[in-house]
């Protein structure tokens, strides 16, 4: 059975949370509600060796990309 890992990344001028949710067995991850620091999110994915398979938007703010 695979293990899920959730990483919260507060970011941007509003300190909104972006979440990475990954299946540690497969290394596949989704990004939930990305804010304005895309390079930070991509670096976190790279550092953990995760592959981004989707972006989920649950709501909107002016800082979401």
């Amino acid at each position: 059975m695979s293990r899920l890992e959730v990483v919260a990344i507060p970011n941007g001028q509003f300190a909104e949370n972006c979440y990475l949710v990954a299946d540690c067995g497969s290394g596949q991850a989704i990004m939930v509600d990305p804010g304005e620091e895309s390079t930070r999110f991509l670096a976190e994915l790279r550092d953990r060796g995760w592959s981004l398979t989707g972006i989920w938007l649950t709501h909107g703010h002016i800082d979401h990309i």
Side-chain angles (χ1 to χ4, degrees), residues 40-50:
R40 186 171 172 198
F41 310 142
L42 296 174
E44 188 73 30
L45 287 162
R46 183 193 64 240
D47 292 348
R48 292 175 178 273
W50 293 344

Side-chain angles (χ1 to χ4, degrees), residues 20-61:
L20 299 177
V21 181
D23 176 328
C24 295
S26 70
Q28 294 181 335
I30 60 158
M31 187 180 301
V32 182
D33 294 331
E36 59 190 272
E37 296 184 49
S38 59
T39 55
R40 186 171 172 198
F41 310 142
L42 296 174
E44 188 73 30
L45 287 162
R46 183 193 64 240
D47 292 348
R48 292 175 178 273
W50 293 344
S51 167
L52 184 64
T53 61
I55 298 174
W56 295 2
L57 301 176
T58 65
H59 62 286
H61 287 274

